[in-house]
Amino acid sequence: MANLMTTIATAVAAPRFMPVEGDSMEPTLRSGDLVAVVPVTAWHGEGVYALEMLPGCLELFRCAPDYRGGLVLNRDNPRYTTRTVDRAWFLDHVTAKVAGIVTITDRALLEQVTAA
């Protein structure tokens, strides 16, 4: 029987880690949090996606389908506005989908290792 982690690893692209910047996804995600993202080039159902809004500038949005066939882009922070886009626009801008939130249990150790 195949190991579950091997099955998962071969089923999807390797996850990458992305720091959260800004307050747009508060209270769910705060600036400084890390999220595990999986690179995607297509719609994979409702969830949080990283979209390239400007060249090299990724932003997180909670995405859901709307009744007209487009997609609604939301931020968890109510101070930000909602935007509806068509699927073609989404496909031109999507880079990854958030697969999880990373919990760091020893930040001092992480800082030592990355500083070395």
Side-chain angles (χ1 to χ4, degrees):
M1 180 170 8
N3 177 307
L4 177 60
M5 292 309 292
T6 302
T7 304
I8 291 170
T10 58
V12 297
R16 298 185 177 136
F17 300 100
M18 177 179 162
V20 175
E21 297 178 359
D23 65 353
S24 66
M25 293 303 289
E26 287 183 0
T28 310
L29 301 171
R30 300 191 182 282
S31 190
D33 286 350
L34 281 178
V35 290
V37 298
V38 175
V40 297
T41 58
W43 172 252
H44 289 276
E46 291 186 29
V48 178
Y49 286 83
L51 304 177
E52 188 171 25
M53 302 303 287
L54 297 170
C57 179
L58 298 179
E59 295 185 36
L60 296 175
F61 291 89
R62 186 169 303 283
C63 302
D66 80 344
Y67 67 94
R68 294 180 308 244
L71 297 167
V72 178
L73 310 182
N74 277 315
R75 310 292 189 121
D76 289 356
N77 187 330
R79 294 186 316 191
Y80 290 81
T81 59
T82 298
R83 178 178 180 179
T84 302
V85 299
D86 63 31
R87 287 187 185 249
W89 185 95
F90 176 84
L91 295 176
D92 286 342
H93 293 81
V94 67
T95 62
K97 185 174 183 184
V98 173
I101 301 169
V102 178
T103 300
I104 298 173
T105 58
D106 192 339
R107 189 169 295 276
L109 175 63
L110 182 63
E111 290 170 355
Q112 285 177 349
V113 171
T114 56

